[in-house]
Amino acid sequence: MHKNRFSRIGYILAIAGSAIGLGNIWKFPYITGANGGGAFVLVFLLTVFTIGMSVFIAEIILGKIAKKDAVSTFEELSPKNRKYFKYIGFSFLTGIIIISFYPVVIAWILHYIGVSFNSLPASVNEAESYFLNYSQNSILSQIFYFTLVFLAIAYVISKGVKDGIERLNNSLIPALFLIFLFMLLYSFSLDGFGKAFHFMFYPDFENFNTNSILIAVGHAFFCLSIGMSTILTYSSSISEDTHIFKAALFVVIMDVITAIVAGLIIFSIIFTADASPDKGAGLVFITLPAIFYEMGSAGVVFAVFFFVALAFAAITSAVSMIEPAVMYLIERRGFSRKKATTTISLISYILGIMAILSMSNDFKELLTFGNKNLFDWFDFITSAILMPLGGIAISIFVAFIMDKNLVRKNLVPYMGEFLFKVWLFILRYLTPLFILALMLKELGVLDF
Ligand code: TRP
């Protein structure tokens, strides 16, 4: 029944577009900075290529075999107890929650493209108060950019897989790579490059502990967009002649390269200015703008390119968060694509506005529950509970519940018997174990 499909390259760019996002360019560098650099990068790489890639492949074959929306996929592929297993498909709800805070960050990025042109803050202190003031007091400006972002996302989704998603990724992802290449070449010429390289690749176990391992595991999931049926949904429109193992390997490698290059670029700039690498979430919105200012007109050009690249990466990810829910409404509830897009966008839009308000001085009391405001709750619930749950459920389903011959038949031709066995082992034992540890730790049940 499947309408239009991705072309081979279109599919690869689309899953790359989903995976490469704020997680790579904004989050990866700052958590690397906070967790000791090289040692953290090493663990991150190990996890991405074992646990991360295994779940990634699991989602791909689910989508490829069933060619349906997420709920129907689990229903159709479970040999028994269909009415229970189909609920794994509702892991797409995680995407709806993420899409209500993720575009808030895109709204900041759009605002910072303007800031780069004419009003870069002159020092880190100034940059810090500027950012805090913007995120807490400029509600209207945030809502304005947030609305723009939502209209763009809804427009792309309403056009469908081929004319919307594929076309968007076909232009933005190559553009992103180009900008990054240019920025990387420039950063070679900076004095801080050597230090940045050393920081990223030489393990320093001093700032590294068991907690860092779990952060690395959690980030491997976030960074690859797994555990919420996104990759599954995109893969339901895969073309038959796609080599799934090569495609998965390619995307995972590109995802990792983007993160590492982002780190090299950012840390080169930071070390050149003798700034500190462990400034946390403010690295991109506070430390960098202040350094861009110091760099004079080169800094302005750099800043604009940097924020444009960040916006491209984030928008292609955001689009992929909505599509699974839209596909569900179309295939299971008989919605038209337009109506499904409008429904899901409206829900996320309203949640997103609430997330913005929850950070503002005027409304934060109303929208803070316990020790977190709504924005932080959305982030916490998705990364500490929903995403790990989705990840465990998907792995267990593919590794234990699904017809093993079907799985084998769909993978062995691409990866051979040996790699298939390794893959199955990881999916069966390592993945659930690590995710469970991550979840218990984040929920504060386990402390180590
Ligand atoms: N991978 C995206 C990033 O690195 C974030 C993300 C997490 C995501 N889960 C997702 C994107 C689901 C799309 C769909 O920024």
Side-chain angles (χ1 to χ4, degrees), residues 18-19 21-24 98 102 222-223 225 228 230 317 320-321:
S18 170
L22 296 175
N24 306 56
I98 300 188
Y102 199 89
F222 187 81
C223 204
S225 312
M228 50 199 89
T230 302
S317 298
S320 77
M321 288 171 201

Side-chain angles (χ1 to χ4, degrees), residues 26-27 29-31 33-34 276-285 287:
W26 169 58
K27 203 165 172 194
Y30 89 69
I31 52 179
S276 143
D278 53 2
K279 273 295 170 327
L283 203 58
V284 162
F285 293 109
T287 318

